[in-house]
Amino acid sequence: MSASAYAQSSAPAEEVSVSEAVRAALSRPPAELLLERRLDAARAGVDEQTRRSAPTLSLDYERVGGSTELAASEFSAVVEQNFDVSRWRTRLRQGLTHRERAERAEHERWRLETAHRVRVAFYEVRLHQARLAEHERWRARLEEALQAMQARVERGDASAYMSGRVARELELAAASEAAVRSALEGAWAELTSHAGWEQRPELGGALEPSKGGDAAEPRSPDQAILQARIQALGAEIDAVRSPWLRDWTVGVGYRQDRAGALTGHGVIVALSLPLALWNPDAPRQARLQAERAALQHELELVSQQYERALEGARQRRRVAMQALRPAEDAAADAALTRQALQSFEAGESSLAELLDVYESELELQLARIELQWEARRADLDLQRLQGVGASR
């Protein structure tokens, strides 16, 4: 699937789950190409470090003048090539595996963060949809109250002021509903920017998380990245040891000597070794060791923070799920509202009492929705820490 095809993909006709939304966001070809190019860059970097110098050809000619009997000349041609017996190139190439692991862990972190953002945006849409449904229900209640009030005004049981009071409440309900619709549009914009849908599908899935969860084995891409980088530095440190075993030069060539009428031919074999009276790579070794030590300390710190964050997320989810239990049974809410309306129509209660029942019902339902949202957010944050939600 090309990038242009992804950008122009339309939403599916059927109901879409959060897993399908995440899959749509993670299926972008540029993301996979980005990983491949980063891996290519890592491989090219090792190739650059381990490249072998080209052999050199040395030509030398020397002539000593004089009489014909004493004239002499010397010509030589030597081919030289550097080599080493310390296997430092092999050690560096072994470190490439760790560099690739670090790049893949970086990519996995991007996938997890993207999946988390998509999940949050998905359930934010569901949150505002639930809020909108409650505001629409509130407005419908007020319209019923306005009809009942107009009936009482016609009977002479109430004044026109009371009808105006209900109309004012309707204006407030309309304004609140418009604010919720605006928030819903923002949530849809965030979700579609990740999923790439041209049309908005029907979203499926409850706002309240399931009672299960917290069964996944925790895995942190940050820890995986640091561990791979530490191992890559270890391989590089091993590669810069034994300087006297590196940069050996062997030469093979031809030599011709002439002295008067005499001519001689010979073979040149040469071996050059580094005179390693000190370690020229000591500063580099010190730098690499310091970098590895810093990463080891960072890994220890990140691991400690991760464990504390994971335990905090688990506790937050437990508390949020427990808070949902008292709000599970809401069957009596609609009956109480109907009783309040019937009591008002019979003249047994005041308008203020009826409006108070309507408003308390709205506040109660919105509070329940907010509890569900808090539980869902706690569940999503725990999933992100556990590395859940971005599987291929």
Side-chain angles (χ1 to χ4, degrees):
M1 183 178 182
S2 65
S4 60
Y6 164 80
Q8 297 175 0
S9 62
S10 60
E14 299 180 356
E15 195 175 74
V16 172
S17 66
V18 65
S19 299
E20 291 170 326
V22 170
R23 193 177 304 114
L26 296 180
S27 62
R28 291 178 288 184
E32 299 300 330
L33 293 176
L34 176 62
L35 173 62
E36 292 301 323
R37 297 294 84 78
R38 284 179 173 175
L39 293 176
D40 290 343
R43 297 178 188 121
V46 173
D47 290 340
E48 181 182 10
Q49 288 181 290
T50 60
R51 70 185 185 278
R52 295 183 180 274
S53 58
T56 60
L57 172 62
S58 300
L59 301 175
D60 184 48
Y61 176 77
E62 182 177 354
R63 178 179 176 82
V64 178
S67 63
T68 303
E69 294 79 6
L70 297 177
S73 66
E74 179 181 308
F75 170 77
S76 64
V78 179
V79 176
E80 295 179 319
Q81 175 64 59
N82 292 334
F83 72 100
D84 71 271
V85 294
S86 65
R87 301 181 66 240
W88 66 271
R89 289 183 175 86
T90 302
R91 295 191 181 104
L92 271 184
R93 290 199 172 278
Q94 290 173 348
L96 174 61
T97 302
H98 305 304
R99 293 188 184 186
E100 290 180 343
R101 283 178 43 230
E103 291 295 341
R104 295 185 187 279
E106 286 271 11
H107 186 66
E108 181 66 14
R109 180 169 62 181
W110 173 85
R111 289 174 59 85
L112 285 173
E113 292 299 328
T114 301
H116 179 68
R117 286 193 294 268
V118 172
R119 288 172 176 267
V120 170
F122 183 95
Y123 285 109
E124 278 187 343
V125 172
R126 302 293 289 139
L127 166 69
H128 295 305
Q129 286 176 337
R131 286 175 173 172
L132 181 60
E134 293 302 326
H135 279 273
E136 289 175 343
R137 187 176 295 109
W138 179 36
R139 180 165 52 82
R141 302 285 193 199
L142 290 175
E143 290 174 350
E144 290 180 355
L146 180 59
Q147 293 176 359
M149 179 58 64
Q150 291 172 348
R152 290 186 58 178
V153 170
E154 292 175 358
R155 294 198 307 265
D157 296 339
S159 64
Y161 161 76
M162 302 180 85
S163 296
R165 172 69 187 281
V166 178
R168 175 66 61 84
E169 291 293 328
L170 273 171
E171 292 179 1
L172 175 62
S176 299
E177 184 179 326
V180 176
R181 289 185 183 276
S182 177
L184 177 59
E185 286 297 317
W188 268 118
E190 177 70 14
L191 179 58
T192 54
S193 69
H194 291 293
W197 296 323
E198 288 185 348
Q199 300 176 357
R200 296 175 181 176
E202 292 292 330
L203 302 185
L207 180 62
E208 179 180 343
S210 60
K211 296 299 188 293
D214 197 20
E217 184 68 23
R219 58 189 180 95
S220 169
D222 292 333
Q223 291 173 308
I225 292 170
L226 290 173
Q227 289 169 350
R229 288 177 177 173
I230 289 171
Q231 292 173 334
L233 282 175
E236 191 170 354
I237 291 172
D238 291 339
V240 296
R241 293 175 180 173
S242 304
W244 62 278
L245 293 177
R246 299 197 309 271
D247 297 329
W248 289 23
T249 303
V250 62
V252 177
Y254 165 77
R255 178 174 177 175
Q256 181 190 75
D257 289 329
R258 288 184 179 181
L262 301 176
T263 301
H265 305 275
V267 176
I268 300 176
V269 178
L271 177 65
S272 299
L273 306 179
L275 189 60
L277 301 178
W278 61 88
N279 185 1
D281 291 327
R284 182 184 178 189
Q285 275 186 325
R287 175 180 62 81
L288 294 175
Q289 290 171 349
E291 289 178 358
R292 184 174 63 173
L295 288 179
Q296 289 171 339
H297 292 309
E298 185 179 355
L299 176 60
E300 182 179 359
L301 180 61
V302 167
S303 299
Q304 293 175 356
Q305 292 175 339
Y306 176 73
E307 292 299 327
R308 289 194 293 267
L310 189 61
E311 182 57 33
R314 286 169 173 163
Q315 179 63 20
R316 178 189 172 192
R317 188 185 187 279
R318 283 194 294 267
V319 172
M321 294 301 294
Q322 290 172 358
L324 289 176
R325 294 176 183 175
E328 288 179 354
D329 187 11
D333 299 336
L336 178 61
T337 303
R338 286 194 301 269
Q339 291 174 5
L341 180 60
Q342 292 171 359
S343 176
F344 175 74
E345 290 175 341
E348 298 174 358
S349 61
S350 65
L351 175 63
E353 291 174 328
L354 177 63
L355 295 179
D356 182 66
V357 170
Y358 285 167
E359 186 174 355
S360 64
E361 180 189 11
L362 174 65
E363 292 177 353
L364 177 60
Q365 298 303 328
L366 292 180
R368 286 172 174 165
I369 292 172
E370 194 64 31
L371 287 174
Q372 294 175 2
W373 171 240
E374 287 299 322
R376 176 58 73 179
R377 278 304 304 263
D379 185 67
L380 293 177
D381 290 342
L382 178 59
Q383 288 184 358
R384 180 178 63 85
L385 288 173
Q386 291 177 329
V388 176
S391 59
R392 294 180 183 272

